[in-house]
Amino acid sequence: MPLILVSGYPSSGKTYRSNQLVEHFQTKIKASPEPHISRLSVVLINDQTLGLSRDVYREARSEKDARAAEYSAVKRVLGRDTIVIADGLNYIKGFRYQLYCEAKAVQTPSCVVHVGTPIEECRKINKKVLNEAEEDGGYQDDVFENLVYRYEEPNGMARWDSPLFTVPFEDATPPFENIWVALIGTEGFLKKTRPNQATVMKPAAESDYLYELDKTTQEVLNAIIEWQKDHVGEVAGQVLVGNVQVDLPASAVGLPQLQRIRRQFISLNRQHSLAKTRIHGSFVEYLNSSFA
């Protein structure tokens, strides 16, 4: 059943909003006479349930391990009868895309709940919980500022961030009913999601699939790099690669960023086995989505 990704600045009240969602959905499920609703369960996954401390966000390696732990936990419990609420920073759009793909792979809908607490309010809350021993602690000042700086706000125009529900700081509760209808559907009608071709597991990969995956994605990067050499200083250009177009962003894109996106795409599709003829177009689409 559905995946709800909760995202927001550090100390913005994500866990508070997540607990509101858990309580409301559990009450609604318990009160429903519909068999397909009453059998549902709600699972909350966050740093506390995973036994992670705030210090993991100080170093890149430990932060990467923390994201991997959240990803694995979500993947384990995603299923037809479980509403999964992933209460984490979820501030990297590439990570949100990965979880979106996992939801699509099991044919279940997903959404993003953005906790829209202003940065200054988050700073006040963070300092308060840092000074209160009985609280679950906050982030050290340098870690807090670093996470705020790197935060990639959800964009409802991107399919992996859609539908997007923003919860203003002043609102007493999230839009419970809108979220329920978007993910579960109305009474008597259960929401269904068709998987993307890229998320459907194939029975077996062609013998040279990984070679073609590596070769084709590198060829696309080479075309972008050649364009950059011929258009030094230009940004927001259009690079024609075969019969499809890469739309470069308004900010400069370096080789490390391109390679990172390429590694993410290869990791996502290593097991899903795209048809070889679709690798080229799918990678260009993934690049354009990452630049959006």
Side-chain angles (χ1 to χ4, degrees):
M1 286 305 290
L3 169 64
I4 301 174
L5 278 172
V6 182
S7 181
Y9 289 123
S11 297
S12 59
K14 295 181 297 298
T15 298
Y16 174 71
R17 297 301 191 184
S18 296
N19 286 329
Q20 285 182 307
L21 289 169
V22 170
E23 183 178 351
H24 178 83
F25 288 161
Q26 286 179 336
T27 301
K28 192 174 183 70
I29 290 167
K30 187 176 181 180
S32 176
E34 299 288 341
H36 64 276
I37 298 297
S38 60
R39 71 168 181 259
L40 300 179
S41 61
V42 184
V43 175
L44 175 65
I45 296 174
N46 58 22
D47 288 351
Q48 289 74 34
T49 64
L50 296 174
L52 300 173
S53 73
R54 304 286 194 237
D55 289 336
V56 299
Y57 299 103
R58 182 174 294 280
E59 301 291 339
R61 180 64 191 178
S62 57
E63 182 181 337
K64 183 178 179 182
D65 291 341
R67 284 200 302 273
E70 180 185 352
Y71 179 82
S72 298
V74 169
K75 188 174 179 179
R76 271 197 305 273
V77 295
L78 269 179
R80 293 185 179 276
D81 298 328
T82 307
I83 299 174
V84 183
I85 300 176
D87 161 32
L89 287 174
N90 299 322
Y91 68 92
I92 300 174
K93 61 184 176 183
F95 182 64
R96 295 197 297 270
Y97 178 81
Q98 284 183 288
L99 291 175
Y100 161 84
C101 287
E102 288 299 335
K104 291 284 282 185
V106 296
Q107 302 182 43
T108 190
S110 64
C111 76
V112 174
V113 174
H114 178 219
V115 181
T117 306
I119 295 175
E120 284 306 317
E121 196 64 41
C122 293
R123 286 195 179 97
K124 292 178 185 177
I125 296 171
N126 190 62
K127 290 183 181 297
K128 181 175 181 292
V129 295
L130 270 177
N131 296 327
E132 295 179 0
E134 67 273 13
E135 294 289 340
D136 190 32
Y139 302 85
Q140 295 300 317
D141 290 343
D142 58 332
V143 176
F144 176 89
E145 296 299 335
N146 183 263
L147 289 171
V148 167
Y149 176 75
R150 292 188 288 134
Y151 185 72
E152 296 176 341
E153 188 170 321
N155 176 7
M157 298 296 290
R159 65 186 185 279
W160 57 87
D161 286 337
S162 177
L164 173 63
F165 300 95
T166 299
V167 187
F169 178 66
E170 300 81 9
D171 285 12
T173 64
F176 295 129
E177 291 308 310
N178 291 342
I179 296 172
W180 179 271
V181 171
L183 298 181
I184 307 298
T186 55
E187 290 296 331
F189 175 76
L190 200 60
K191 193 88 171 182
K192 294 183 180 179
T193 299
R194 293 179 60 186
N196 286 334
Q197 185 69 23
T199 62
V200 176
M201 291 288 286
K202 303 290 192 306
E206 298 174 72
S207 59
D208 59 346
Y209 170 72
L210 293 180
Y211 167 78
E212 287 294 334
L213 183 64
D214 183 80
K215 174 175 171 288
T216 303
T217 53
Q218 187 59 54
E219 287 173 351
V220 174
L221 291 201
N222 290 342
I224 296 173
I225 294 166
E226 285 301 316
W227 185 92
Q228 291 176 329
K229 288 179 181 177
D230 295 336
H231 301 77
V232 177
E234 292 187 30
V235 293
Q238 286 78 43
V239 184
L240 191 62
V241 186
N243 60 349
V244 289
Q245 179 177 286
V246 177
D247 298 315
L248 296 178
S251 56
V253 180
L255 181 59
Q257 182 181 352
L258 291 171
Q259 291 286 19
R260 183 169 63 253
I261 295 172
R262 174 175 174 263
R263 287 194 298 271
Q264 289 173 347
F265 180 81
I266 290 175
S267 176
L268 287 169
N269 291 284
R270 186 181 298 275
Q271 299 298 326
H272 292 308
S273 250
L274 284 168
K276 288 192 292 185
T277 55
R278 296 191 64 250
I279 294 174
H280 182 274
S282 295
F283 182 50
V284 170
E285 180 187 354
Y286 184 75
L287 280 169
N288 289 335
S289 297
S290 299
F291 295 152

